[in-house]
Amino acid sequence: MARRAAIGVVLAGGHGRRIGGDKAMVELEGRPLLLYPLAVLRAVLDDVAVVAKQSTLLPPFDADVAIWLEADEPRHPLVGVVHALRCARGRPVVVVAGDMPFVTRGLVAALARERARGAVAVVPRASGRLQPLCARYDQRALAALVACDLGAPVSDVVAALSPRIVEWPDDEPFFNVNHPEDILQAAALLSGR
């Protein structure tokens, strides 16, 4: 039986308190931040969705991108992963945080095609750090994620799943924008390309 193709999912349900709110709408070089990872997922995967809260302000995007609204509470990145798995109807999901403007096609393609070898998730590690918000989760991860301690660090929860770890040689794809100064750094990185 052929593997079911992964669905690409941008996680966009966060408050964005550290950056001043509405993180998906924060502009980087004249483009809303969320559109960067969304464009990469769309270039690699046939089916793409955005997980967001009802109150999340989202930029306009094409109608072929599904919007999967998650509950307002609790607020935690793994709640978005759980909701994505529930909406994916048995298919694996490749999730990317909406604040990762430098995720690459090569990384997404590698996550989508990497064999899990019995693990419930495929998670990259760069510079010694797991990157659980840019990873692939199979449906078998759902029960463990539903039962997880939302007070624990995301990396600890995902490490406890015994994921298949893929060493990634460069940590730039995992750069995330959390503070206003991160926008400046991201703009400098973009202009240097």
Side-chain angles (χ1 to χ4, degrees), residues 101-183:
F102 301 116
V103 67
T104 64
R105 291 178 183 190
L107 174 57
V108 170
L111 290 171
R113 74 172 175 263
E114 183 69 33
R115 295 200 182 279
R117 298 183 187 162
V120 298
V122 176
V123 182
R125 180 168 51 201
S127 300
R129 293 183 54 213
L130 282 182
Q131 300 295 333
L133 299 182
C134 182
R136 187 182 84 222
Y137 294 88
D138 293 340
Q139 285 296 314
R140 294 176 296 114
L142 185 57
L145 291 173
V146 165
C148 77
D149 174 7
L150 296 182
V154 174
S155 291
D156 291 353
V157 171
V158 174
L161 298 176
S162 299
R164 170 139 170 74
I165 295 173
V166 176
E167 296 295 341
W168 202 255
D170 153 31
D171 59 2
E172 186 176 278
F174 309 105
F175 179 91
N176 62 331
V177 175
N178 285 315
H179 302 93
E181 58 271 19
D182 296 336
I183 287 287

Side-chain angles (χ1 to χ4, degrees), residues 46-125:
D46 291 335
D47 297 311
V48 178
V50 173
V51 170
K53 306 282 187 197
Q54 181 71 43
S55 61
T56 304
L57 289 179
L58 296 172
F61 41 78
D62 293 339
D64 65 336
V65 176
I67 299 174
W68 293 342
L69 295 177
E70 62 181 321
D72 287 339
E73 296 297 332
R75 288 190 175 269
H76 191 278
L78 292 177
V79 172
V81 176
V82 165
H83 189 67
L85 286 168
R86 286 180 173 151
C87 292
R89 298 183 177 181
R91 292 169 64 187
V93 295
V94 173
V95 300
V96 177
D99 61 3
M100 289 184 169
F102 301 116
V103 67
T104 64
R105 291 178 183 190
L107 174 57
V108 170
L111 290 171
R113 74 172 175 263
E114 183 69 33
R115 295 200 182 279
R117 298 183 187 162
V120 298
V122 176
V123 182
R125 180 168 51 201

